[in-house]
């Protein structure tokens, strides 16, 4: 087990035109933490993970495991265990041999290897499958074997690259819980790449949001959700995504660009100039509220999800429809008018560069 | 400590006690880690036996052949040879031209080789495509037929030459017997001796032996074709023959071109078949036979090596020319 | 009317297949026929089972030894060229280094060498190494000529192995050599069989080096031995024994082809179509 520190890590893919996939990433990962990398496709998550693994050369900066710079170490010397999206089980070996392969290369005694493999197999509930070949296993079982193979060698760091994306939805939930339990049991520093925000929110001690090779924000799941550092994180995390409305801020006051342009609202932020107001669909209210901006809307689309209903509302505030999540029992009519209330103390303000403006005190309607 | 974001300037500066970290920053990195360098070193180690083998047993002999071509060495006197420049190739002496390039037999060999190559490769391409089309259809016992047509390709050329030599025998051969009983010929033909028929005979036997190769490569290409083109064509009611020329042929052309290159290389260096079927007869002499005869039978290593060099240049030149003409791409850069 | 047209088509197709079969098989039929007949003359039907030709093949020359030589040389060639080709193709298919494409093209270029172009140089080398009239000379030359296409085919197959599989092994701490022997060779054994088969057929059938580097009857390989079977004069070729010998060397190849037909085709196409 070890802590990990990134110092200005960079990755340049050399080619006809050089491509910088990771751009100066600084990050500190504590011992025993479960860190999740999320970001849109192609943002460099896998690249970063593979740089930690030692499968991809580091073009610039340093990587430390504990106090040791590991830039020049092989994956084995770094002591990592990795679970691949495609499982990458050795097709010609039995489950037992798959899991024992790393240990046999280390030339351990046969009994210890057998003991270790069987113990891990018990933990993962695959002890009855040890004699099978990978092609005789289901997807979930394969994934367990892949995890088992990574565990047996008791690595310092666990790396997962979208390990669950080949599984069906219910199995995914189940495996997600098991990986979390496993981490609680083993307490090995783990880095987990996914593009599934539910996985990120539920599994992580710490989420790292990446975009275009840069870190957008690092924080606990609730920090990321409640205090997104910029519009990218705010828009990326949360489903359905946050609504953004262009506003004009004047010190502690805010005015809308259209419609009720002359109305001022007192906001819990101090900022001046053009800004973006962000509010999550689940925070928008249908009942009149203190400290809320009332907005006249027309219902354009209704999506019933069962437990909740999403309303897409046309307004004159912004081009995109505003999305509101309401209780599943509601059966609103398309085309009907609806007044919604945007509570300011649950909203976020972003400056013209997209960075979040720090919240202060509470607010009240003017 | 937790770095919440890297966008602010304060996030980038690290605490002072970490100063040794980042010390490498100033050094130029090659972009390759120790591990990658190790891997590349191992790769070269893995390549070493092949490179050494090819260099010593193919490259070096080739260079020696080039060199010996400029000497007057003979089989009995390999070491004490003199450098004689281009005399093996062409020399003017007392009003006469000497050397390979002035040897009418050499030019005859070139003519024969080119004739055999052209005729044989084009015939087997056409036949091969036909056979491939037959094998592409579904019918019971297809696997067995496919295996059967592979057999001529797999057997030694010596064997096929002997078998055909026997069948083409002027007195006891089956071919003459068959043709006579069908009244196609009136008297037995000495297929492998008669100068009028011998080249054609060689081409026929070569085609018999190598058509399977063409057919199988073409078949593989056919099997990789997308099915929807055909369905579209069938729906449009286009005649099958037209479909073949307008759809199939253009699609399998790249594979065909490659197969032709392979076959051309083989045909240009034809040796065994002619050697067995007609021995050293001048009517059928190929360039390989010519060179080997000078080299081994006449023991003129210098002269023979010069001829070998010419064979090499001819084969390489013609092949490269063909590859160039068809704009075939042989890049090995495909990646996993 | 339509049914009739279809029927005719089927009949024509069957005839085409039949013609194809006759075209390929007929020479073998005649060879077997001749080998089993004591007397002369060409008959189309097998009349007696006379194995005297087969007996004479083994009696008149050391044909059993020749077969053994051929087998020895062929297996030796296959073993050595596979060993060299496997490591080389791993490097070519799996490791990024400068000059990789150039190297691959050079290897391909060597496979284009006409044998006669290296004959005199090779002759010198063989004599230098003291391998003249020794089967070693054949193993040496055949290996070099089978190496390029072995490397080429295996490189194609190795590229097809998913990257993750190798990386999993790297993470497990496997060295490149262990990756090749413990992971790639077991996964690629069909490709190895294919490549080995092609190398085997090439070595079993080769003629020019065999007739040039080997002098004595006892050291000869089968193709040369067959070419050397002769009677008193050119007009008294002992066709019976020649055909018997031909049948003997062809049988193992026919068996190989029947058993491994699919693999051979795979190998040929991997080497050519993807080139
Ligand atoms: N070998 C390579 N050569 C050049 N560019 C590459 C290479 N591998 C990845 N890239 C580029 O680097 C960027 C980051 O790739 P990466 O695989 O890390 O994305 P990712 O975040 O894992 O995406 P995904 O969620 O789709 O897996 C991409 O834009 C990709 O095109
Ligand atoms: Mg990825």
């Amino acid at each position: 087990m070890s802590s990990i520190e990134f110092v200005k890590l960079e990755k340049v893919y050399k080619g006809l035109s050089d491509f910088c996939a990771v751009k100066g990433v600084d990050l500190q990962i504590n011992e025993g933490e479960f860190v999740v990398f999320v970001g849109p496709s192609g943002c460099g998550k896998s690249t970063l993970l593979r740089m930690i693994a030692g499968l991809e050369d580091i073009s610039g900066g340093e990587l430390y495991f504990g106090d040791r710079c590991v830039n020049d170490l092989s994956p084995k010397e770094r002591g990592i265990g990795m679970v691949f999206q495609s499982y990458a089980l050795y097709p010609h070996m039995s489950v037992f041999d798959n899991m024992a392969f790393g240990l046999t290369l280390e030339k351990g005694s046969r009994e210890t290897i057998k003991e270790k493999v069987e113990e891990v197999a018990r933990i993962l509930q695959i002890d009855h499958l040890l004699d099978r070949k990978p092609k005789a296993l289901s997807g979930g079982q394969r994934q367990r074997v892949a995890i088992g193979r990574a565990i047996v060698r008791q690595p310092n760091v666990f790396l997962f690259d979208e390990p669950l994306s080949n599984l069906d939805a219910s199995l995914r939930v189940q495996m997600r819980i098991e990986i979390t339990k496993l981490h609680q049991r083993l307490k090995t520093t783990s880095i987990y790449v996914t593009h599934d925000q539910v996985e990120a929110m539920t599994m992580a001690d710490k989420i790292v949001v990446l975009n275009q090779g840069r870190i957008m924000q690092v924080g606990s799941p609730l920090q990321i959700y409640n205090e997104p550092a910029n519009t990218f994180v705010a828009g990326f995390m949360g489903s359905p995504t946050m609504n953004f409305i262009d506003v004009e801020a004047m010190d502690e006051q805010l005015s809308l660009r259209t419609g009720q342009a002359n109305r001022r609202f007192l906001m819990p932020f101090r900022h001046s100039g053009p800004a973006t107001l962000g509010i999550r669909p689940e925070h928008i209210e249908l009942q009149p509220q203190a400290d809320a901006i009332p907005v006249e809307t027309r219902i354009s689309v209704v999506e019933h999800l069962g437990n909740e209903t999403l309303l897409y509302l046309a307004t004159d505030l912004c081009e995109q429809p505003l999305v509101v999540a309401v209780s599943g029992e509601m059966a609103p009519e398309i085309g009907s008018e609806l007044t919604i209330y945007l509570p300011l103390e649950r909203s976020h303000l972003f400056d013209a560069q997209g960075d979040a403006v720090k919240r202060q005190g509470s607010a009240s309607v003017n | 400590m937790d770095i919440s974001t890297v966008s602010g300037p304060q996030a980038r500066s690290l605490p002072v006690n970490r100063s040794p970290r980042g010390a490498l920053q100033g050094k130029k990195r090659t972009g390759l880690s120790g591990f990658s360098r190790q891997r590349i070193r191992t790769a070269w180690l893995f390549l070493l036996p092949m490179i050494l083998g090819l260099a010593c047993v193919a490259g070096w002999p080739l260079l020696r052949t080039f060199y010996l071509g400029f000497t007057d060495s003979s089989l009995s006197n390999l070491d004490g040879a003199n450098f004689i420049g281009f005399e093996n190739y062409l020399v003017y002496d007392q009003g006469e031209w000497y050397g390979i390039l002035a040897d009418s037999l050499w030019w005859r060999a070139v003519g024969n080789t080119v004739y055999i190559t052209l005729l044989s490769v084009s015939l087997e391409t056409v036949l091969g495509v036909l056979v491939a089309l037959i094998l592409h259809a579904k019918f019971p016992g297809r696997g067995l037929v496919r295996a059967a047509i592979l057999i001529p390709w797999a057997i030694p050329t010596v064997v096929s030459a002997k078998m055909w030599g026997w069948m083409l025998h002027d007195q006891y051969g089956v071919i003459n017997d068959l043709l006579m009983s069908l009244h196609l010929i009136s008297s037995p033909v000495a297929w492998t001796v008669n100068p009028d028929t011998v080249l054609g005979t060689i081409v026929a036997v070569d085609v018999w032996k190598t058509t399977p190769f063409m057919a199988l490569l073409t078949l593989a290409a056919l099997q990789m074709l997308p099915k929807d083109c055909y369905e579209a064509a069938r729906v449009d009611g286009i005649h099958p023959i037209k479909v073949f020329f307008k759809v199939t042929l253009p699609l399998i052309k790249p594979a065909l071109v490659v197969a032709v290159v392979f076959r051309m290389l083989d045909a240009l260096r034809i040796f065994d078949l002619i050697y067995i079927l007609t021995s050293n007869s001048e009517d059928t002499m190929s360039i390989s036979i010519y060179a080997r005869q000078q080299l081994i039978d006449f023991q003129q290593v210098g002269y023979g090596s010069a001829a070998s060099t010419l064979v090499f240049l001819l084969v390489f030149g013609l092949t490269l020319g063909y590859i160039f003409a068809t704009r075939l791409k042989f890049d090995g850069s495909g990646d996993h | 009317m339509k049914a009739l047209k279809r029927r005719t088509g089927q009949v024509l197709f069957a005839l085409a297949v039949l013609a194809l079969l006759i075209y390929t098989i007929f020479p073998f039929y005649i060879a077997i026929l001749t080998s089993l007949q004591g007397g002369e003359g060409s008959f189309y039907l097998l009349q007696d089972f006379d194995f005297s030709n087969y007996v004479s093949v083994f009696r008149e020359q050391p044909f059993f030894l020749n077969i053994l030589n051929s087998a020895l040389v062929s297996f030796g060639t296959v073993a050595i060229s596979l060993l060299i080709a496997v490591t080389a193709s791993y490097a070519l298919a799996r490791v990024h280094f400068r000059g990789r494409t150039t190297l691959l093209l050079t290897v391909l270029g060597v496979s284009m060498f006409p044998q006669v172009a290296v004959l005199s140089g090779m002759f010198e080398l063989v004599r230098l190494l003291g391998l003249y009239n020794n089967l070693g000379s054949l193993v040496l030359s055949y290996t070099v000529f089978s190496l390029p296409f072995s490397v080429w085919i295996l490189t194609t197959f190795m590229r097809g192995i998913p990257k993750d599989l190798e990386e999993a092994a790297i993470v497990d701490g496997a060295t490149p050599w262990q990756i090749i022997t413990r992971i790639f060779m077991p996964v690629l054994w069909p490709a190895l069989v294919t490549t080995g088969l092609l190398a085997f057929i090439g070595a079993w059938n080769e003629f020019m080096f065999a007739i040039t580097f080997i002098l004595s009857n006892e050291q000869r390989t089968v193709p040369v031995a067959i070419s050397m079977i002769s009677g008193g004069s050119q007009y008294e070729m002992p066709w019976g024994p020649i055909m018997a010998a031909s049948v003997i060397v062809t049988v193992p190849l026919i068996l190989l082809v029947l058993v491994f037909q699919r693999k051979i085709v795979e190998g040929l196409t991997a080497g050519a179509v993807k080139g």
Side-chain angles (χ1 to χ4, degrees):
Chain A
M1 255 182 271
S2 71
S3 61
I4 301 177
E5 187 176 337
F6 300 29
V7 182
K8 298 196 168 36
L9 274 191
E10 292 204 0
K11 177 69 198 180
V12 179
Y13 283 113
K14 297 257 184 272
L16 292 178
S17 60
D18 290 359
F19 178 76
C20 196
V22 173
K23 300 164 188 160
V25 166
D26 287 314
L27 179 71
Q28 165 83 36
I29 294 171
N30 298 325
E31 205 167 305
E33 245 177 346
F34 197 103
V35 176
V36 174
F37 290 177
V38 283
S41 187
C43 68
K45 305 182 293 285
S46 300
T47 306
L48 201 53
L49 193 79
R50 292 162 50 76
M51 285 161 82
I52 302 170
L55 293 170
E56 206 76 70
D57 285 334
I58 295 170
S59 318
E62 284 112 62
L63 178 67
Y64 292 90
F65 280 18
D67 275 333
R68 195 158 167 225
C69 174
V70 296
N71 278 30
D72 278 345
L73 298 188
S74 72
K76 190 195 169 207
E77 290 162 329
R78 294 183 192 192
I80 56 129
M82 185 153 173
V83 179
F84 295 84
Q85 179 177 353
S86 63
Y87 318 135
L89 298 178
Y90 311 124
H92 58 291
M93 293 187 193
S94 68
V95 169
F96 180 92
D97 290 336
N98 259 285
M99 289 169 62
F101 184 64
L103 295 174
T104 51
L105 294 179
E106 283 163 9
K107 304 238 179 343
S109 82
R110 192 167 293 177
E111 286 81 56
T112 18
I113 292 176
K114 194 162 184 286
E115 234 167 71
K116 281 186 186 170
V117 171
E118 281 174 354
E119 193 201 325
V120 170
R122 247 191 319 278
I123 295 173
L124 291 167
Q125 296 157 21
I126 47 174
D127 37 352
H128 59 295
L129 302 172
L130 285 176
D131 294 330
R132 295 223 196 137
K133 289 273 172 68
K135 66 167 177 281
L137 300 178
S138 71
Q141 289 168 333
R142 281 180 211 186
Q143 194 52 268
R144 277 167 212 262
V145 176
I147 293 172
R149 182 173 63 181
I151 295 176
V152 255
R153 285 186 308 115
Q154 296 169 332
N156 296 325
V157 181
F158 259 143
L159 305 174
F160 299 86
D161 194 351
E162 307 198 15
L164 306 184
S165 55
N166 283 350
L167 302 179
D168 63 48
S170 65
L171 205 53
R172 204 137 79 187
V173 175
Q174 192 187 334
M175 285 304 293
R176 181 174 93 202
I177 293 166
E178 282 191 36
I179 292 177
T180 308
K181 275 203 280 196
L182 203 64
H183 178 250
Q184 277 158 6
R185 176 171 180 159
L186 301 172
K187 298 254 183 302
T188 309
T189 313
S190 302
I191 303 176
Y192 187 102
V193 165
T194 183
H195 55 243
D196 182 326
Q197 355 177 334
V198 183
E199 274 172 31
M201 294 299 287
T202 53
M203 301 173 85
D205 294 326
K206 189 192 262 176
I207 292 181
V208 177
V209 184
L210 291 161
N211 188 31
Q212 297 190 342
R214 290 207 169 81
I215 292 186
M216 289 289 121
Q217 187 174 6
V218 178
S220 71
L222 288 182
Q223 262 174 331
I224 299 276
Y225 179 78
N226 291 327
E227 301 157 32
N230 44 47
T231 44
F232 176 81
V233 176
F236 185 74
M237 297 298 286
S239 169
T241 57
M242 189 183 273
N243 298 298
F244 292 109
I245 300 163
D246 288 338
V247 296
E248 199 65 37
M250 283 142 297
D251 204 21
E252 293 199 350
Q253 295 190 343
L254 164 156
S255 65
L256 300 172
R257 290 263 170 91
T258 50
Q260 333 155 36
N262 41 8
R263 255 184 102 178
R264 302 273 165 93
F265 300 92
L266 202 60
M267 58 175 188
F269 305 98
R270 171 161 293 166
H271 183 69
S272 293
T276 306
L277 187 74
I279 182 146
R280 297 197 183 275
E282 56 270 33
H283 293 156
I284 294 177
E285 300 285 348
L286 299 184
Q287 306 307 321
Q289 298 262 320
D291 311 337
I293 306 173
V295 182
E296 311 275 316
T297 66
R298 180 185 302 278
I299 300 176
S300 59
V301 177
V302 178
E303 282 182 352
H304 293 285
L305 301 179
N307 63 335
E308 61 176 5
T309 299
L310 300 182
L311 308 181
Y312 292 77
L313 308 170
T315 70
D316 54 359
L317 290 181
C318 49
E319 301 266 307
Q320 271 88 35
L322 284 181
V323 183
V324 181
V326 298
S327 113
E329 284 106 57
M330 249 188 80
E333 211 170 293
I334 293 177
S336 62
E337 312 235 315
L338 187 69
T339 307
I340 57 170
Y341 300 87
L342 313 178
L344 277 166
E345 93 266 24
R346 308 210 71 169
S347 62
H348 308 266
L349 193 73
F350 304 95
D351 64 19
Q353 280 75 49
D355 289 330
V357 177
K358 263 212 156 39
R359 181 189 301 272
Q360 44 166 245
S362 58
S364 61
V365 174
N366 189 357
Chain B
M1 64 161 281
D2 242 339
I3 302 165
S4 59
T5 163
V6 290
S7 53
Q10 73 278 21
R12 269 197 207 118
S13 62
L14 286 160
V16 185
N17 63 350
R18 289 274 175 70
S19 60
R21 306 201 166 176
L24 276 170
Q25 206 88 67
K27 277 197 224 159
K28 261 247 159 12
R29 296 197 63 91
T30 55
L32 289 181
S33 70
F35 177 63
S36 292
R37 274 197 296 269
Q38 175 70 38
R39 204 169 142 76
I40 290 173
R41 223 172 299 139
T42 313
W44 282 108
L45 202 67
F46 280 177
L47 288 166
L48 201 65
M50 179 191 77
I51 294 174
L52 273 182
L54 291 184
C56 295
V57 191
W60 173 246
L62 187 70
L63 292 180
R64 282 299 291 176
T65 300
F66 290 166
Y67 169 75
L68 287 170
F70 293 112
T71 67
D72 63 355
S73 65
S74 65
L75 209 52
S76 52
N77 181 20
L78 264 176
D79 308 315
N82 300 309
F83 189 83
I84 55 167
F86 281 93
E87 276 183 35
N88 286 326
Y89 293 94
L90 197 62
V91 64
Y92 190 73
D93 189 30
Q94 298 173 354
E96 291 263 22
W97 289 100
Y98 296 97
I100 301 168
L101 294 177
D103 184 356
S104 64
L105 188 57
W106 163 258
W107 289 112
R108 184 139 183 217
V110 171
N112 286 341
T113 308
V114 171
Y115 176 86
I116 292 172
T117 302
L118 283 183
L119 205 60
S120 166
V121 173
S122 30
L123 274 177
E124 71 203 28
T125 308
V126 173
L127 266 179
V129 171
L130 276 176
V131 171
L133 285 175
I134 290 179
L135 291 183
H136 190 45
K138 278 203 172 60
F139 61 89
R142 181 168 65 153
L144 224 57
V145 177
R146 192 154 32 176
I149 66 151
L150 252 180
I151 294 173
W153 166 83
I155 64 169
T157 311
V158 173
V159 169
S160 62
K162 284 288 183 195
M163 284 191 328
W164 282 94
W166 170 231
M167 295 207 308
L168 292 163
H169 195 271
D170 49 354
Q171 289 170 51
Y172 310 118
V174 195
I175 304 281
N176 275 337
D177 195 65
L178 266 177
L179 293 179
M180 297 235 300
S181 53
L182 291 174
H183 298 289
L184 288 171
I185 52 175
S186 52
S187 59
V189 177
W191 299 100
T192 56
V193 182
N194 188 335
D196 297 332
T197 57
V198 70
L199 273 184
T201 305
I202 282 170
V203 168
V205 178
D206 194 49
V207 166
W208 177 79
K209 180 152 172 47
T210 50
T211 301
F213 179 83
M214 271 322 228
L216 287 173
L217 291 193
T218 316
L219 182 61
L222 281 176
Q223 284 168 344
M224 277 185 239
L225 291 186
K227 291 223 164 53
D228 41 0
C229 304
Y230 290 99
E231 267 140 35
R234 191 178 311 152
V235 169
D236 293 348
I238 300 169
H239 195 270
I241 291 178
K242 204 165 170 192
V243 172
F244 173 77
F245 282 105
K246 295 269 165 182
V247 183
T248 313
L249 204 55
L251 284 173
I252 60 170
K253 200 177 142 214
L256 231 84
V257 167
V258 177
V260 167
V261 172
F262 276 75
R263 273 301 306 140
M264 233 177 80
L265 281 167
D266 259 356
L268 283 172
R269 51 194 179 192
I270 185 166
F271 175 82
D272 320 13
L273 179 62
I274 299 176
Y275 186 88
I276 301 286
L277 216 52
T278 63
S279 198
N280 287 335
S281 151
E282 292 189 3
D283 295 324
T284 57
M285 184 162 285
S286 73
I287 48 176
S288 285
I289 299 238
Y290 177 91
R292 187 183 173 281
Q293 191 181 36
Q294 300 294 341
L295 211 59
I296 307 292
D297 299 346
F298 301 163
Q299 313 224 336
Q300 298 179 329
V301 173
Y303 191 86
S305 296
S308 300
T309 306
L310 286 179
V311 172
F312 179 83
L313 294 179
L314 207 69
V315 172
F316 235 75
L318 285 178
T319 311
L320 286 186
Y322 177 79
I323 290 177
F324 227 69
T326 51
R327 297 204 184 83
L328 182 62
K329 285 208 181 62
F330 261 113
D331 64 354
S333 61
D335 233 313
H336 34 259
Chain C
M1 187 60 205
K2 208 163 188 179
L4 185 73
K5 209 168 160 188
R6 231 176 89 199
R7 207 64 257 164
T8 331
Q10 278 175 347
V11 169
L12 281 179
F13 184 80
L15 282 179
V17 173
L18 198 68
L20 178 65
L21 274 179
I22 291 176
Y23 178 59
T24 47
I25 307 250
F26 186 63
F28 294 104
Y29 175 70
I30 295 293
I32 294 170
L33 211 64
T34 310
S35 73
L36 287 174
Q37 270 161 353
E40 285 157 7
S42 66
F43 303 102
Y44 296 101
L45 290 175
L46 189 57
Q47 283 165 341
D48 52 351
F49 281 98
D50 180 347
F51 286 95
S52 63
N53 286 327
Y54 287 87
V55 175
S56 109
V57 168
F58 287 97
R59 191 175 296 143
E60 302 292 316
Q61 58 258 314
F63 199 66
F64 184 72
L65 222 59
N66 298 144
I67 294 178
L68 211 65
N69 290 339
S70 265
L72 219 63
V73 168
S74 306
F75 281 116
T77 303
V78 170
I80 298 177
S81 60
L82 275 189
L83 192 71
I84 300 180
V86 163
T87 54
S89 56
Y90 171 80
L92 287 170
R94 288 275 156 187
V95 184
H96 289 265
F97 59 87
R98 263 162 189 246
R100 184 165 71 148
T101 309
T102 319
L103 198 58
L104 210 56
L105 286 181
T106 314
V107 169
L108 193 68
V110 172
S111 70
M112 296 184 185
F113 280 18
Q115 286 92 327
V116 77
V118 292
L119 199 61
S120 53
M122 194 94 91
F123 197 84
E124 236 187 4
L125 187 74
V126 162
R127 290 231 288 216
L128 194 76
L129 297 173
L131 291 176
Y132 188 57
N133 195 28
N134 184 312
L135 293 179
S137 63
L138 298 187
V139 175
L140 195 71
S141 47
Y142 296 176
T143 302
V144 157
F145 273 88
S146 67
L147 203 51
F149 78 74
S150 300
V151 169
W152 190 255
I153 295 176
L154 283 179
T155 303
T156 318
F157 277 109
M158 288 222 185
R159 285 212 176 114
I161 294 184
K163 198 174 164 189
D164 284 359
L165 200 65
E166 187 187 358
E167 290 181 343
I170 293 178
V171 168
D172 266 343
T175 60
W177 176 250
Q178 285 167 332
I179 293 174
I180 293 178
T181 52
R182 309 279 295 266
I183 311 288
F184 277 25
M185 283 179 47
V187 170
L188 278 184
W189 76 263
L192 288 174
V193 171
T194 308
T195 317
L197 265 173
L198 294 180
F200 184 90
I201 292 177
W204 184 264
N205 295 353
E206 205 282 340
F207 183 68
M208 189 199 277
F209 290 132
I211 200 172
T212 308
F213 296 154
I214 303 291
L215 277 184
S216 62
N217 277 336
E218 284 72 30
Q219 299 288 316
R220 285 208 177 102
T221 54
V222 167
V224 183
I226 292 179
S227 77
M228 296 272 172
I229 298 176
S230 58
S233 74
Q234 216 212 323
Y235 301 100
E236 285 174 48
M237 282 295 242
W239 288 109
I242 291 178
M243 288 303 116
S246 300
V247 171
I248 294 170
V249 288
T250 308
V251 167
L253 289 173
I254 292 183
L255 287 181
L256 279 183
V257 166
L258 287 180
V259 176
F260 293 109
Q261 182 237 127
R262 213 163 272 277
K263 297 238 161 309
I264 294 175
V265 177
E266 259 171 38
L268 284 176
T269 45
V273 174
K274 292 188 184 165

